[in-house]
Amino acid sequence: MSVFTALHRYRFSIFVLTLWFIAVLLLSDGSAISHMTATSALVKTRNDNVAKKTQINSVTDNVSKTVLENGLTVLTKEVHSAPVVTVQVWYKVGSRNEEAGVNGIAHQLEHMMFKGTKNRPIQFGRLFSALGSDSNAFTSYDQTAYYSTAERDKLNALLTLEADRMQNALINVEQLASEKRVVISELQGYENSPEYRLSRAVLQKIFPKHPYGLPVGGTKTDVEKFQVKQVQKYYSKFYSPDNAVLVIVGDFETAKTLKAVQDIFGKIQNSQQSTVNSQQSTVKTTKTLPLSSSPIVLREPGANALLQAVYALPDANHPDVPALDVMDYLLTEGRNSRLYQALVESGLASDLTGSVVSLREGGWYELSVTGTPGQNLTKIDSTMQKAIANLALKGVTKEEVNRAKAQLEANLILNNRDITSQAMQLGNDETTAGDYRYTDRYLAAIHEVTATDVQRVVNQYLKPKARFVGIFEPTQTQPEEKSAVKPRSTLITENFTPGEPQEPAEVAKYLPRVDMTMVSATRTLPEQFTLSNGIEVLLLPDKSTPTVTLSGYIKAGTEFDPEGKAGLASLVADNLMNGTKTKDVLTIAKALEERGASLEFETYREGVEIQGSSLAGDLPVLLETLGDVVKNATFPNKELALSRQQALTDLKQELDDPTEVAKRTFLQSLYPKKHPLHKFPTQKSLQQIRRADLVDFKTKHYRPDTLVLTLVGDFAPEQVRSLIEAEFGDWQVSGQPPQLEYPVVSMPDKIVRVNPVLPGKSQAITYMGSTGINRKDPRFYAALVLNQILGGDTLSSRLGAEVRDRQGLTYGIYSTFQTGNNVGIFLIEMQTSPEDTSQAIASTRRLLQEIHQQGITAEELETAKRTLISNYNVSLANPEELSYRILMNKVYGLDAEELRSFVGKVATVTLDQANQAARELLHPDKIVVVTAGPAIVANQSVR
């Protein structure tokens, strides 16, 4: 029930398994944006004409710690910047408490915690969805955590649900069998990744006798053998109040909330057997670990050659951890870092990441490199070792150390602009380091790190003979031509009768008492102005954190790629930061890196999104850099060659990724050649692009009259307006912006089924759908409500409840209406085991047919509207979500009141409107169905 991801650059850079409840709130062009950050601290910002000087604030300011008589630790922190609260329960148990034979049981139990309780025998995802909560869970090495973020009036309801499943979880034979099937599908998804397989092999070698060497999610062999009594025993042993930390952050009153916590949790009894000890002995120190032997070599199907070098490190509380983090940033973070210069800028590698993993009983430092095609991994490894040896011998400069420290401090606060992340920080510190005040000490220690400290930890921990090395050598890659398989028509039929959808009245019966009225707070609208050259600017002051979030959009997307040169728009955006008329690439990068600021450009079909962030006092530098690169980029040949090679490497990776192949094949099967949505980069098209093409494209499409900028944060609008006018006011162009006509495309006249096969993949990814609506279609809000009921949430929707939860056919399934200014797509995505794919597709089509013909119920309508409105209000408490929403409203040409009126428009959708949308927009017999990954037999019989 989780997605394997590295929480890279968090205070504890731990590998976690994260459960994402997918709630499609915005029918946007491009993929939905989700934000999950886990750490933060308030640090000193610079004093200039934009932001006042800010004092260093303690991470634990206003935090109260209470321990109930039953041992439950309660951490509370009042944050009144938005009417939102987050409730999190962190259990001090994870894969560290497992052993061979039961590997993955913590993760399996995480899944079971959503299957209902004795008091509420109903999928908890449906309850959280009905509350409009952004709910999530993850399993890690040292803990398993559950969180829900919702409007403040849902606080007691969230507490009640968490207390209920702490003591009354239902774990029976039928539910376990279904959820084991889902977990196995999930594990197969991880197996699709060569990086995952290589990392698993290396960690098994470095920790041969400790659970840190076991995969957090488990193995298929062990999961298949889990018995109900095993899972029940694990639950009764570890899910106990004295082994848990309850974290509450947001808009509430501490005294009143602590009383509610006592009333709700205080009566829960201890298990009398909970423990935080691992099943194995503590990790050996680096002095006693065996010397590294020959590298682990995996020769398997894949796209690119990979190298991983891992060094054992001490636990999270060791005093060397701050210096190790500074070392990591100095080595790998940013274009001026040592290893980036040695490997990526030299052309040897296309990608480099570093991560200090600090856990309760030990840790490790991992360096991961993706080799450039044709480059020898031995040479890459030798170059990397020489760079580290040079640092160990000659040390580092004070300037490098100060830049790394500034990046660390800024990232801590920028990754913590919302209450969910603030609570994550407290929960993680308390469960991993044993002290919620850990980050305060950590920040103080960071300030004291010197160049001598960095050189010392490099010599102590990054010894050549202390390395554990893994190499991945691809044996076979997916030929590019197979990404556009010739479609064929297949009518998929199964003897399947779905269960009755769970009525909202049944859900409401199990909801804790809460005011379910739809009330929306009055929102401040951004200040808007337009420069004389056409740039549109929207400013919304927000002093809740000393940061600024910048979002931008310029109409220079891939829709404008010339025939035969697909990928040009992306290459232009990727090269904007590579040099201007007055600054080279390293000077541009340094200006941002030494302040911990970021500025990125991401290309989509209809435009290029600009994403930037900085501490409030550094906004002038952020705007100056943005203005310089969009006006004066020069596209130096050296950097262009590297960028093109990285694009070719990324293309190989995409053509080996079932999700990317399914997406590409789906669009190319739905839209004909010559259509803007049919074009995708190929090796040939990327190689044909020249520097003159980039210069010409930028001249035509990067214009002030197609640029929209949004800023949310700690600033004075009048001063920011002056800055923007100074940086962008002299940008002039002539003529009108290029226009593009999108041809009308009809739905398929039958089912089109395609199965591009990728060697070595164990999980199948299916995309199915048809053409949709654009953002200004009058049916937009009805479609939004309809989609929430159909597949807006992977657990509480009809698709989720039937295909995922009842039948256990998919790890995740959701639907969306993706909309833009020109076109839209209706899409369903699911991940399945190969043997379950045909049945999952048939079940999905059957549910589509039911809603198309019979519509939805009035109760479903009202529940969906409440959920969407609550989710909307919660999302706007996050500055990144708020900034993006303001931006896209402007891009879509919506009026300024949309930020406020969205709630009302959703609330007024009628049953007739939603059912009409179902009849007009859902056509289960006129869809494209693409399954990428293993070979799938279309008419495979149901087991």
Side-chain angles (χ1 to χ4, degrees):
M1 205 150 89
S2 318
V3 174
F4 190 85
T5 178
L7 292 182
H8 185 56
R9 303 305 183 195
Y10 293 171
R11 164 74 291 282
F12 297 108
S13 297
I14 57 177
F15 290 104
V16 299
L17 291 164
T18 303
L19 161 70
W20 289 108
F21 291 102
I22 304 168
V24 181
L25 308 179
L26 172 66
L27 304 186
S28 61
D29 130 71
S31 41
I33 293 183
S34 295
H35 304 278
M36 176 184 172
T37 53
T39 10
S40 154
L42 300 180
V43 296
K44 185 176 180 181
T45 62
R46 295 162 180 79
N47 182 20
D48 58 19
N49 65 333
V50 176
K52 296 180 180 179
K53 190 172 183 178
T54 306
Q55 297 298 316
I56 298 177
N57 294 304
S58 167
V59 174
T60 55
D61 274 354
N62 202 31
V63 174
S64 172
K65 179 175 180 178
T66 305
V67 180
L68 304 187
E69 289 185 6
N70 60 10
L72 178 68
T73 297
V74 185
L75 302 176
T76 59
K77 181 178 182 179
E78 293 186 30
V79 179
H80 300 289
S81 57
V84 173
V85 295
T86 185
V87 172
Q88 304 182 6
V89 179
W90 292 63
Y91 294 95
K92 300 175 186 177
V93 59
S95 62
R96 175 176 58 86
N97 304 85
E98 298 172 357
E99 57 188 359
V102 291
N103 180 212
I105 195 168
H107 177 221
Q108 183 70 64
L109 178 56
E110 177 213 318
H111 279 242
M112 301 306 298
M113 289 290 281
F114 289 88
K115 302 298 285 187
T117 66
K118 299 172 185 177
N119 299 326
R120 294 176 174 85
I122 185 174
Q123 166 60 249
F124 263 46
R126 296 181 66 83
L127 299 177
F128 288 125
S129 179
L131 292 172
S133 170
D134 174 18
S135 298
N136 197 327
F138 67 82
T139 301
S140 181
Y141 292 99
D142 292 332
Q143 64 272 113
T144 304
Y146 304 81
Y147 86 69
S148 295
T149 304
E151 296 163 308
R152 62 187 174 197
D153 60 340
K154 311 301 194 318
L155 174 57
N156 282 4
L158 296 177
L159 292 172
T160 300
L161 292 177
E162 290 297 352
D164 189 15
R165 64 177 174 177
M166 179 181 282
Q167 57 186 326
N168 299 314
L170 281 178
I171 304 172
N172 59 39
V173 174
E174 181 181 0
Q175 290 175 334
L176 180 60
S178 172
E179 211 60 31
K180 282 165 60 175
R181 197 172 180 180
V182 171
V183 168
I184 289 170
S185 174
E186 178 185 351
L187 296 179
Q188 289 172 328
Y190 304 152
E191 292 291 334
N192 280 355
S193 167
E195 292 86 350
Y196 171 83
R197 302 198 300 270
L198 183 61
S199 179
R200 179 185 59 193
V202 173
L203 288 178
Q204 285 175 340
K205 184 174 183 179
I206 196 172
F207 298 121
K209 296 182 179 180
H210 191 280
Y212 286 165
L214 300 174
V216 174
T219 62
K220 179 180 179 182
T221 301
D222 282 359
V223 171
E224 287 176 331
K225 294 185 296 185
F226 289 155
Q227 301 297 314
V228 168
K229 288 185 178 180
Q230 283 180 301
V231 181
Q232 289 173 338
K233 181 179 179 181
Y234 195 89
Y235 170 68
S236 63
K237 180 177 182 180
F238 292 111
Y239 278 57
S240 177
D242 58 330
N243 199 40
V245 178
L246 171 65
V247 186
I248 309 169
V249 176
D251 192 17
F252 61 89
E253 296 178 11
T254 300
K256 181 179 178 180
T257 298
L258 286 177
K259 183 180 183 304
V261 169
Q262 177 63 51
D263 293 342
I264 296 170
F265 284 88
K267 58 189 176 184
I268 302 176
Q269 298 298 311
N270 292 333
S271 69
Q272 304 299 319
Q273 56 178 341
S274 62
T275 176
V276 296
N277 295 324
S278 69
Q279 298 289 350
Q280 304 289 340
S281 59
T282 302
V283 177
K284 297 178 181 179
T285 66
T286 54
K287 292 182 179 179
T288 59
L289 279 170
L291 296 179
S292 63
S293 55
S294 57
I296 295 173
V297 180
L298 300 184
R299 294 184 177 90
E300 300 172 353
N304 298 305
L306 305 172
L307 171 71
Q308 290 185 359
V310 180
Y311 304 80
L313 296 181
D315 63 81
N317 280 303
H318 196 282
D320 283 343
V321 168
L324 287 164
D325 277 339
V326 173
M327 174 203 73
D328 173 40
Y329 270 64
L330 191 148
L331 282 173
T332 68
E333 180 67 11
R335 302 189 73 153
N336 285 281
S337 62
R338 293 285 186 98
L339 291 181
Y340 192 95
Q341 283 290 305
L343 297 174
V344 180
E345 291 291 341
S346 68
L348 290 175
S350 64
D351 189 44
L352 162 74
T353 61
S355 182
V356 174
V357 181
S358 302
L359 301 176
R360 191 179 186 93
E361 296 181 357
W364 60 89
Y365 182 50
E366 179 175 316
L367 291 167
S368 299
V369 184
T370 302
T372 298
Q375 293 293 343
N376 187 291
L377 285 180
T378 300
K379 182 178 181 181
I380 291 174
D381 189 28
S382 175
T383 302
M384 181 169 66
Q385 291 190 70
K386 287 179 181 177
I388 294 173
N390 183 66
L391 190 155
L393 177 65
K394 299 181 179 180
V396 298
T397 66
K398 184 177 180 180
E399 178 188 9
E400 286 178 295
V401 173
N402 288 340
R403 182 170 64 240
K405 289 161 66 172
Q407 288 174 294
L408 265 168
E409 293 176 343
N411 282 349
L412 284 172
I413 184 172
L414 291 169
N415 286 337
N416 192 19
R417 283 166 281 182
D418 62 283
I419 63 169
T420 300
S421 299
Q422 293 176 39
M424 286 279 183
Q425 173 69 69
L426 295 171
N428 197 50
D429 283 357
E430 183 70 17
T431 55
T432 301
D435 183 3
Y436 73 94
R437 297 161 298 189
Y438 177 87
T439 298
D440 288 345
R441 303 199 314 268
Y442 170 79
L443 274 174
I446 287 290
H447 283 292
E448 301 301 319
V449 172
T450 66
T452 300
D453 294 327
V454 173
Q455 185 177 16
R456 176 181 59 80
V457 296
V458 171
N459 278 288
Q460 181 173 347
Y461 297 105
L462 270 58
K463 297 176 181 178
K465 291 186 178 181
R467 300 190 322 147
F468 294 78
V469 178
I471 292 173
F472 180 85
E473 296 179 352
T475 58
Q476 182 181 8
T477 59
Q478 175 71 12
E480 184 174 335
E481 290 74 20
K482 289 192 177 182
S483 66
V485 178
K486 183 178 179 181
R488 62 185 176 87
S489 173
T490 305
L491 182 61
I492 308 161
T493 57
E494 301 284 355
N495 294 322
F496 166 68
T497 303
E500 291 296 322
Q502 207 156 25
E503 292 296 328
E506 184 74 5
V507 176
K509 182 171 71 174
Y510 295 112
L511 277 176
R513 186 181 301 276
V514 67
D515 180 10
M516 299 300 291
T517 58
M518 294 181 291
V519 180
S520 180
T522 301
R523 299 196 177 278
T524 302
L525 297 180
E527 175 185 322
Q528 301 187 57
F529 62 89
T530 304
L531 271 59
S532 59
N533 58 9
I535 295 178
E536 296 182 286
V537 183
L538 301 97
L539 305 176
L540 184 62
D542 174 12
K543 299 186 180 299
S544 59
T545 64
T547 66
V548 176
T549 301
L550 180 150
S551 299
Y553 193 95
I554 194 162
K555 193 170 175 56
T558 60
E559 63 183 8
F560 290 113
D561 278 347
E563 185 67 27
K565 294 183 179 180
L568 174 58
S570 295
L571 272 181
V572 171
D574 291 343
N575 279 271
L576 289 174
M577 303 278 286
N578 284 344
T580 65
K581 296 176 182 178
T582 59
K583 299 182 180 70
D584 64 19
V585 57
L586 296 183
T587 302
I588 294 170
K590 183 179 178 182
L592 297 174
E593 289 171 6
E594 65 185 10
R595 294 166 174 82
S598 66
L599 181 63
E600 299 177 346
F601 299 84
E602 187 72 26
T603 310
Y604 295 95
R605 289 292 174 182
E606 295 185 349
V608 174
E609 288 183 17
I610 305 166
Q611 300 168 351
S613 62
S614 73
L615 299 180
D618 294 322
L619 179 57
V621 175
L622 185 63
L623 289 174
E624 178 186 353
T625 303
L626 174 61
D628 189 25
V629 300
V630 297
K631 292 186 297 181
N632 303 315
T634 55
F635 309 111
N637 283 316
K638 177 185 175 182
E639 278 69 32
L640 174 58
L642 288 173
S643 181
R644 187 205 314 276
Q645 185 57 65
Q646 288 177 354
L648 289 166
T649 304
D650 291 343
L651 176 62
K652 287 187 65 178
Q653 181 66 42
E654 289 173 6
L655 295 178
D656 187 58
D657 182 343
T659 298
E660 293 298 325
V661 171
K663 182 188 305 179
R664 174 185 287 228
T665 309
F666 174 79
L667 289 171
Q668 290 186 330
S669 300
L670 191 60
Y671 294 97
K673 291 183 178 180
K674 307 294 184 181
H675 192 282
L677 291 180
H678 187 92
K679 292 181 291 186
F680 280 87
T682 64
Q683 182 178 353
K684 181 179 179 181
S685 72
L686 289 171
Q687 290 173 336
Q688 288 180 341
I689 297 171
R690 300 291 177 262
R691 178 180 177 276
D693 297 319
L694 276 73
V695 173
D696 182 61
F697 187 96
K698 180 185 175 298
T699 301
K700 288 181 180 178
H701 300 288
Y702 279 73
R703 306 168 52 99
D705 49 359
T706 69
L707 174 61
V708 181
L709 290 178
T710 297
L711 288 103
V712 174
D714 186 8
F715 55 74
E718 64 276 7
Q719 294 170 342
V720 173
R721 179 168 184 164
S722 297
L723 280 173
I724 292 175
E725 288 176 339
E727 296 296 341
F728 296 91
D730 62 347
W731 189 10
Q732 301 295 326
V733 293
S734 59
Q736 296 298 313
Q739 300 296 324
L740 189 68
E741 292 293 330
Y742 271 66
V744 177
V745 176
S746 301
M747 288 188 175
D749 57 4
K750 56 187 176 182
I751 296 175
V752 176
R753 180 78 190 272
V754 190
N755 178 204
V757 176
L758 280 70
K761 303 305 177 185
S762 56
Q763 186 193 60
I765 305 296
T766 296
Y767 273 42
M768 55 193 300
S770 59
T771 55
I773 58 176
N774 64 33
R775 179 58 180 85
K776 289 191 174 180
D777 192 293
R779 298 168 293 182
F780 173 81
Y781 300 96
L784 192 64
V785 175
L786 171 67
N787 183 75
Q788 178 65 24
I789 297 165
L790 171 64
D793 187 297
T794 201
L795 288 181
S796 68
S797 64
R798 283 205 192 180
L799 286 174
E802 178 60 35
V803 183
R804 187 243 180 261
D805 199 47
R806 191 179 78 82
Q807 298 186 62
L809 295 175
T810 172
Y811 157 57
I813 183 169
Y814 68 93
S815 64
T816 180
F817 286 91
Q818 295 183 358
T819 64
N821 274 317
N822 295 302
V823 295
I825 298 168
F826 168 66
L827 177 67
I828 297 173
E829 180 181 356
M830 70 179 83
Q831 307 91 40
T832 56
S833 297
E835 61 270 20
D836 291 334
T837 301
S838 291
Q839 184 178 345
I841 292 171
S843 299
T844 299
R845 284 193 54 245
R846 180 65 174 268
L847 287 169
L848 279 177
Q849 190 74 45
E850 287 184 351
I851 291 185
H852 172 71
Q853 294 177 348
Q854 302 171 21
I856 62 175
T857 67
E859 291 79 9
E860 285 180 310
L861 176 79
E862 294 306 315
T863 299
K865 292 195 295 187
R866 283 195 299 267
T867 299
L868 287 169
I869 290 170
S870 296
N871 284 333
Y872 177 79
N873 291 331
V874 170
S875 72
L876 295 192
N878 185 324
E880 291 179 278
E881 299 283 359
L882 176 59
S883 178
Y884 180 77
R885 176 77 66 158
I886 293 171
L887 172 73
M888 297 312 296
N889 284 346
K890 191 66 176 179
V891 169
Y892 291 140
L894 306 176
D895 61 53
E897 284 290 328
E898 177 68 16
L899 197 66
R900 292 174 176 167
S901 62
F902 175 88
V903 167
K905 291 174 181 177
V906 170
T908 55
V909 171
T910 67
L911 184 62
D912 287 343
Q913 289 172 334
N915 284 332
Q916 181 179 357
R919 291 190 297 272
E920 295 175 356
L921 302 178
L922 303 181
H923 299 279
D925 295 325
K926 298 180 179 181
I927 56 175
V928 171
V929 181
V930 176
T931 299
I936 302 298
V937 179
N939 287 314
Q940 182 177 343
S941 61
V942 180
R943 294 185 306 171

